[in-house]
Amino acid sequence: MLRRLFTVLAVTGVLAAPLSAQTYPTSWDPSIMERPDVKSALALLEQRFPQQVEEWIRIAEIPGKSKLEQARGAYVKKVFEEEGLQQISVDSIGNVTGVRKGTGGGPTIAIAAHIDIVFGPEASDGKVRRVGDTLFAPGVGDNTASVANMLATLRAMNATKFTSKGDIIFIGTVQEELGLKGMAYWLDHNTAPDLLIVPDGAYGVVSYGALGIYWTKYVFTSPGSHTLGSRGRPTPVRAVAEAINRLYALEFPALPDGAVMNIGQVHGGEIFNSVPQELYFTVDLRSPDPVLLDSLDEQITRITTEVAEKQQVGLRVEIDQKSRAGGTEKQLEGARAHPLVQTAIDINRALGISAGMPGAREAVATGATDANIGVVRKIPSIAIGGSRASGAHQLTEYALASTALPSTKLLYLLTATFADGVKTMPPARIVP
Ligand SMILES: [Zn+2]
């Protein structure tokens, strides 16, 4: 597990040679923690944390498979109503929105936590198993922890009469696991916020980039035939075999700045004694580099088309997801320089939140969360982990409950820091 995690972090750029000493503008002013309302909010989050964990478990036990998030949406909506948010709505894809109005003249901050999870109720008993500080359940880390963190942040703001100049928009997004579809819909149908904060992703790492993700299905077709008449006849099986072979022969640079391609599914054929009429495989292609991503995508389409022609079979290309890439680290230097990123790093340091791996980067120019949608639209956007968790997208997923408290404080302090405007403090020096 650790070695696998090391590999994942190394590939996603978290473990890489530290950048040469570079200073970035920050808005973090530690003295904010002495501000009476902020001080009492942080104390309240600590005091109420046992209830927050109970709520986390309650939400984790509400079915929330992507596209079937309605019950979780209703729960979040109820809390938004109880907490007096305005303009509460559930849009036609199921995103739940509520606005905590500011006094005016400040940046609009959107906090978006996805409420969907990968697994449906059929996959487990739907119960959270608690062993000491560890919570076991599918989706408990990704992303139910962050939903509970978002609601606890809202309650702490209200209980301490927190005021902001800017509006704070709370969003429970849907279909994140199906390609960030809820967030894309939300930004297509609402005014873009000035800042987007997404509780999701790796604990202790600030993600300010967007890994482009293309999911495509290549379906090869033929009239089919019985085995007895199959000799020398076109078959989608040979086409699939040849196409896959040629795709794996493609050469391209590796992540973090290059790309990764995975053929995750091959399906088709019902019986022994016939040439199947349809056979398909799926490609999961990812890169932060929009140019590389599109050129690889084009090469794959060209290769599959050539193979289909050569093998005299039909081809249907079905796009399941095309989440755009936000740019390589070099291309995202502007985004890295926005104080939202350094401020999150500084608050992580102040709260003692870290990825817990020697050499792990505090900020990465990649990400596969709802923040991606903000990044590619040039909205200052970051993703911040909701808890230290492991086994995301697996039935064995677990999260360390106690780590959600500092994550919630991070979310609260980030919002409090920017609520009245994006001001920058004297640059913080990064010690390599
Ligand atoms: Zn997630």
Side-chain angles (χ1 to χ4, degrees), residues 73-91 95-101 154 169-170 186:
Y75 182 93
V76 169
K77 184 168 180 271
K78 186 169 69 57
V79 176
F80 284 2
E81 285 159 352
E82 286 163 3
E83 291 300 320
L85 292 185
Q86 296 176 34
Q87 295 154 258
I88 294 173
S89 65
V90 179
D91 64 24
N95 296 313
V96 185
T97 304
V99 180
R100 192 174 188 279
K101 294 300 286 179
L154 168 58
I169 306 174
F170 292 83
W186 196 94

Side-chain angles (χ1 to χ4, degrees), residues 196 198 200-202 204-211 341 344 348 362-369 371-372 375 381-385:
L196 174 60
V198 171
D200 194 6
V205 179
V206 180
S207 160
Y208 64 94
L211 193 61
V341 180
N348 271 342
E362 295 176 298
V364 290
T366 187
T369 72
N372 286 32
V375 170
S381 308
I382 57 169
I384 49 171

Side-chain angles (χ1 to χ4, degrees), residues 83-380:
E83 291 300 320
L85 292 185
Q86 296 176 34
Q87 295 154 258
I88 294 173
S89 65
V90 179
D91 64 24
S92 61
I93 195 175
N95 296 313
V96 185
T97 304
V99 180
R100 192 174 188 279
K101 294 300 286 179
T103 54
T108 301
I109 301 172
I111 298 172
H114 74 88
I115 60 176
D116 63 312
I117 60 174
V118 167
F119 294 101
E122 72 288 345
S124 73
D125 65 3
K127 291 290 173 213
V128 174
R129 190 163 57 84
R130 187 173 190 169
V131 181
D133 185 41
T134 308
L135 306 178
F136 294 88
V140 72
D142 184 14
N143 197 33
T144 313
S146 300
V147 178
N149 295 0
M150 176 174 73
L151 300 180
T153 299
L154 168 58
R155 289 200 186 90
M157 284 178 172
N158 284 349
T160 58
K161 304 202 171 4
F162 172 82
T163 61
S164 62
K165 285 186 181 157
D167 290 351
I168 302 170
I169 306 174
F170 292 83
I171 315 165
T173 63
V174 296
Q175 298 190 33
E176 189 271 355
E177 302 291 2
L178 297 182
L180 320 176
K181 293 205 166 90
M183 189 80 244
Y185 185 95
W186 196 94
L187 284 172
D188 285 344
H189 294 82
N190 292 279
T191 309
D194 298 298
L195 302 173
L196 174 60
I197 301 171
V198 171
D200 194 6
Y203 183 77
V205 179
V206 180
S207 160
Y208 64 94
L211 193 61
I213 304 172
Y214 288 5
W215 286 355
T216 315
K217 189 192 270 189
Y218 299 88
V219 186
F220 294 85
T221 61
S222 85
S225 81
H226 188 281
T227 296
L228 292 175
S230 67
R231 189 177 179 88
R233 293 183 69 146
T235 162
V237 176
R238 287 188 73 171
V240 162
E242 183 178 344
I244 289 177
N245 235 355
R246 287 190 57 186
L247 295 193
Y248 277 119
L250 282 171
E251 290 183 5
F252 49 86
L255 293 175
D257 282 349
V260 63
M261 180 199 70
N262 172 43
I263 296 178
Q265 303 171 61
V266 180
H267 288 284
E270 308 292 332
I271 55 176
F272 278 82
N273 53 351
S274 87
V275 172
Q277 292 189 306
E278 283 206 359
L279 207 72
Y280 73 82
F281 63 86
T282 62
V283 171
D284 177 353
L285 181 66
R286 303 184 181 211
S287 175
D289 183 341
V291 176
L292 176 61
L293 189 59
D294 283 334
S295 94
L296 283 171
D297 186 47
E298 278 149 29
Q299 287 180 60
I300 293 172
T301 304
R302 180 177 50 73
I303 288 170
T304 48
T305 307
E306 278 173 14
V307 168
E309 274 158 20
K310 180 182 162 207
Q311 295 291 341
Q312 299 170 320
V313 297
L315 172 67
R316 233 183 21 253
V317 177
E318 295 171 2
I319 293 165
D320 182 275
Q321 165 190 180
K322 265 203 166 176
S323 296
R324 288 164 41 208
T328 61
E329 188 165 346
K330 186 107 191 70
Q331 292 160 343
L332 282 174
E333 277 177 353
R336 177 64 182 87
H338 188 284
L340 183 59
V341 180
Q342 190 58 41
T343 302
I345 293 170
D346 292 338
I347 298 174
N348 271 342
R349 290 176 183 168
L351 295 172
I353 298 175
S354 79
M357 293 278 167
R361 301 269 298 270
E362 295 176 298
V364 290
T366 187
T369 72
D370 280 337
N372 286 32
I373 306 293
V375 170
V376 296
R377 294 172 191 224
K378 307 289 178 220
I379 300 166

